[in-house]
């Protein structure tokens, strides 16, 4: 919703205005979440690493336990995903060699998106929004199980206590999983 609203805004370059745009609207978004007793599923870690695939895909792949990933996800399959995780198949990978200014713009855009998520998340934690740990498993470079550990670390880096992060992965989602 915030992305669609920002796309209609007149502020200009994505990276320069998006974080401020989200910060300005955070209170209203959180008020709606609390008023409607909604639970938010976090995907901070994913937002922090997805943009790194643009220019650092090989490095990202070398840091993952891809031997545990579904081969159809790695290579791509019309039944699982239109594209895969590997070089030449990854939709986030920049395969040409952009000019330095364009490369900086792309990197700044991805970092702004990650920072906007962190900003909103921190404010949700401060205001007591119910949050469950998520991973977006099955998306690019997200290995189920392993990605949850990375998500918990991101939750703690961004304002949750370790105990609250563990609750976000266990006790908080448990009653909702029963339905």
């Amino acid at each position: 919703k915030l992305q669609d609203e920002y796309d209609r805004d007149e502020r200009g370059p994505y990276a320069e205005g998006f974080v401020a745009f989200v910060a300005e609207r955070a209170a209203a978004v959180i008020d709606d979440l609390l008023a409607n007793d909604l639970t938010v599923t976090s995907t901070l870690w994913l937002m922090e690493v997805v943009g790194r695939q643009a220019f650092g895909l090989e490095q990202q792949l070398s840091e993952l336990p891809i031997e545990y990933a579904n081969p159809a996800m790695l290579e791509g399959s019309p039944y699982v995903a239109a594209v895969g995780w590997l070089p030449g198949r990854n939709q986030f990978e920049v395969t040409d060699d952009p000019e330095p200014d364009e490369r900086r713009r792309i990197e700044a855009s991805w970092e702004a998106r990650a920072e906007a998520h962190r900003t909103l998340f921190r404010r949700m934690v401060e205001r007591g929004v119910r949050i469950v740990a998520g991973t977006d498993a099955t998306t690019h470079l997200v290995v189920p199980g392993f990605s949850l550990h990375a998500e918990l670390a991101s939750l703690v880096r961004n304002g949750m206590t370790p105990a609250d992060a563990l609750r976000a992965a266990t006790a908080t989602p448990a009653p909702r999983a029963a339905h």
Side-chain angles (χ1 to χ4, degrees), residues 5-162:
E5 195 177 325
Y6 181 76
D7 289 344
R8 292 187 300 273
D9 194 87
E10 299 295 323
R11 266 177 236 231
Y14 183 83
E16 293 175 16
F18 188 60
V19 176
F21 182 85
V22 169
E24 289 170 10
R25 284 158 181 74
V29 169
I30 294 166
D31 288 345
D32 285 346
L33 292 169
L34 293 169
N36 290 290
D37 194 32
L38 296 174
T39 300
V40 172
T41 302
S42 68
T43 55
L44 279 181
W45 173 77
L46 175 64
M47 291 298 105
E48 292 170 345
V49 301
V50 71
R52 296 182 200 157
Q53 295 174 59
F55 301 106
L57 181 56
E58 294 284 352
Q59 178 66 33
Q60 289 289 299
L61 287 167
S62 73
E63 296 171 2
L64 292 173
I66 61 172
E67 64 271 21
Y68 296 103
N70 179 336
M73 295 300 296
L74 290 171
E75 299 167 9
S77 164
Y79 304 109
V80 178
V83 293
W85 297 5
L86 300 177
R89 296 175 182 243
N90 186 302
Q91 69 182 9
F92 299 109
E93 178 186 29
V94 176
T95 56
D96 59 357
D97 190 21
E99 295 294 323
D101 286 346
E102 177 65 6
R103 181 181 171 126
R104 281 191 293 277
R105 187 196 66 73
I106 293 168
E107 290 171 334
S109 178
W110 279 111
E111 179 50 36
R113 185 179 188 126
E115 185 56 33
H117 277 79
R118 290 188 291 261
T119 297
L120 187 56
F121 177 82
R122 289 180 195 123
R123 295 200 181 164
M124 287 189 292
V125 170
E126 290 168 4
R127 296 267 313 270
V129 171
R130 187 174 44 245
I131 298 170
V132 297
T135 63
D136 264 1
T138 72
T139 196
H140 290 75
L141 305 191
V142 177
V143 180
F146 295 90
S147 57
L148 182 58
H149 298 167
E151 181 67 14
L152 293 174
S154 288
L155 299 182
V156 172
R157 276 194 311 275
N158 287 285
M160 276 191 169
T161 66

